[in-house]
Amino acid sequence: MFEKVLVANRGEIAVRVMRACEELGVDTVAIYSEADKNAGHVRYADEAYNVGPARAADSYLDQEAIVDAAKKAGADAVHPGYGFLAENAEFAALVEETEGVTWVGPSSDSMEQMGEKTKARKVMQAADVPIVPGTTDPVEEVEEVHAFGEEYGYPIAIKAEGGGGGRGMKVVHEPDEAEDQLTSAKREGEAYFDNDSVYLERYLEAPRHIEVQVIADHHGNVRHLGERDCSLQRRHQKVIEEGPSPALAEDLAEEIRESARQGVAEADYYNAGTVEFLVEDGEFFFLEVNTRIQVEHTVTEEITGIDIVKWQLRVAAGEELGFAQDEVELDGHAMEFRINAENAADDFAPATGKLKTYDPPGGIGVRMDDALRQGDTIGGDYDSMIAKLVVWGEDRDTCIARSKRALAEYEIEGVTTIIPFHRLMLTDEAFVAGTHTTNYLDNELDRTRIEEAQEKWGPKATDDDEDDEEVTEREFTVEVNGKRFEVSLEERGGPTLPAGGGGGGGQSRGRRPSSGGSGGGGDDGGSSVSAEGEQVTAEMQGTILSVGVSEGDEVESGDILCVLEAMKMENDIVAEHGGTVTEVAIEEGQSVDMGDVLVVID
């Protein structure tokens, strides 16, 4: 087994991996950006290294900086978690080429073959696994989209090669949408996965989303660990996952499980992975392979009793899987609720804030995967998912009842989350019956019900506690060769001090993680303007992906002024009224804070 593992990620998944390492007697190394200097995964690790500023491209996606941190720390393995570089074959190869360091995941060759969707489609097609009609080569020009539409009809899904979780996926309903959606999908693929290659598929409008967890070792053993149902999605991003699927007959479920296992075996794949399928009208089609651990791996762990992350580490260390396929039993039912910092009543808009209260639920059958503590600040630099609530019951009805209880116990104040939405879904007729499909939230659910749930169960506005002004935290941080050391003092009644530089942190081994979610703001905000007119401001912290207007342009109500990315979601900033653009205060790539002026219209 390894002696020290660097976790190339942040937040709850980094803590999840570190917990597995600790149980195996393995030391851990965290990496962090300036925005995450006080983050929970940093506090949890045995040591931590700063890899750059808040912007993910300059820190968590900086391959050389991460490998350099592994060398400095003397780590003998790197675990990528999910997201960021977890499915980047180039990064896996860089780690593989680093002397004395092992990549915890499939080989870079397998990642390139299975992680890039068009290649995976070819592999699965060769293994007689049914695939959705689509392209098996990347698409570059809008004319190719038009030609595909003429052959297969609309809508069409444009998908990023390296994408996942709805990132880099755009749906084209009509030919005149093709150019904008192609550009957007390529842009998201480049921004989130460092790969702007995209492909096309026929878009199934009302399928179930079923995925099968697999794990394989270096000795030729391949196991599936049952399926998960991830059909409850908003904008192609999962919000509640469960297993087993409530919608599949056992014979169809077993056929899908075995197809996943066989496809992976034919691909000479090892370590953990997930094979995703779409199911519609009794037919199933291969969707993609995720060459990493999944957000929802917890569901499978709860119903099988198998610690997938530990087996990732064991397989990477050369161990043989310790169980046969017929020894994998699915016991009971489990659900995972993504606790996103979002306002579901406002079209799931990302939210930020400081956790005045953080009191997660407990009790039998309740698991919390988080990296949070009361007093943490949730910013907008990274993904909006800040925690995961996982609930197990001996059957689905028990699981739903227990989930209602756990969500009612979950107290969060200071930042808006989708807990009220989750509570609503557990009373929703379609979800409780298990008849929902992937388009249910976007196309069928009455939006007023979400607003009512938010009002009923959401946090009430309160004044800031007076105690906030009575306690001053003084942090003194030193970085030596990028490694973080910290001394923290708390003084009651003392004057506040300006925040120190250097991106601090520490090696404290407090088992309760300290700061989670997202870190502080970006670096280029605070724009000022001199022109007169109506000021269009940023409603959230984020990064400007594109600017669609220039000074002097005439715009009408509803015209897109710019595209703001916040928590991995693109948000079109539109003009509320027509007029003339008198000033553009931002540029592409710029970070902005909530309230910053973007455009002035007279």
Side-chain angles (χ1 to χ4, degrees), residues 248-407:
L248 299 183
E250 178 58 27
D251 56 347
L252 178 59
E254 184 56 37
E255 186 178 358
I256 293 173
R257 297 167 193 158
E258 184 56 29
S259 290
R261 194 198 67 78
Q262 184 63 31
V264 166
E266 292 292 329
D268 194 26
Y269 183 100
Y270 58 79
N271 215 276
T274 303
V275 187
E276 300 195 347
F277 298 89
L278 295 178
V279 180
E280 192 172 63
D281 299 328
E283 294 184 285
F284 68 94
F285 302 95
F286 168 74
L287 180 62
E288 63 188 24
V289 176
N290 294 121
T291 57
R292 53 170 168 80
I293 196 74
Q294 290 273 90
V295 175
E296 58 273 20
H297 74 278
T298 57
V299 169
T300 298
E301 290 181 331
E302 293 304 304
I303 61 176
T304 63
I306 294 172
D307 189 320
I308 300 170
V309 176
K310 280 186 182 178
W311 275 111
Q312 280 191 290
L313 294 162
R314 289 169 176 151
V315 166
E319 294 186 26
E320 187 172 357
L321 290 175
F323 54 91
Q325 184 62 65
D326 60 9
E327 294 177 308
V328 178
E329 297 183 359
L330 306 185
D331 178 28
H333 198 92
M335 291 184 177
E336 175 183 275
F337 302 87
R338 300 192 184 200
I339 309 303
N340 297 343
E342 298 173 355
N343 186 348
D346 186 21
D347 200 26
F348 293 92
T352 59
K354 182 176 182 180
L355 291 175
K356 297 178 182 179
T357 300
Y358 185 72
D359 189 6
I364 187 169
V366 175
R367 165 179 171 177
M368 283 301 310
D369 276 27
D370 60 12
L372 298 173
R373 190 175 69 184
Q374 192 163 304
D376 290 348
T377 297
I378 308 301
D381 290 295
Y382 309 111
D383 193 276
S384 60
M385 191 185 74
I386 57 176
K388 300 184 309 196
L389 168 63
V390 190
V391 181
W392 177 90
E394 55 264 29
D395 53 39
R396 192 168 187 263
D397 289 343
T398 303
C399 184
I400 288 175
R402 185 168 289 160
S403 298
K404 289 180 179 178
R405 186 265 298 171
L407 286 163

Side-chain angles (χ1 to χ4, degrees), residues 66 103 141 158 161 218 405:
I66 295 171
W103 171 253
E141 304 297 335
I158 305 178
E161 283 264 27
H218 294 268
R405 186 265 298 171

Side-chain angles (χ1 to χ4, degrees), residues 489-555:
L489 298 176
E490 186 178 278
E491 181 178 348
R492 297 187 176 273
T496 60
L497 291 179
Q507 298 188 68
S508 72
R509 292 275 299 183
R511 288 299 96 189
R512 181 64 177 165
S514 140
S515 173
S518 305
D523 2 281
D524 299 317
S527 58
S528 60
V529 297
S530 57
E532 294 184 356
E534 179 186 1
Q535 296 181 350
V536 180
T537 60
E539 296 183 356
M540 63 197 75
Q541 188 181 64
T543 301
I544 302 298
L545 291 184
S546 65
V547 180
V549 294
S550 303
E551 291 182 18
D553 285 354
E554 295 291 331
V555 296

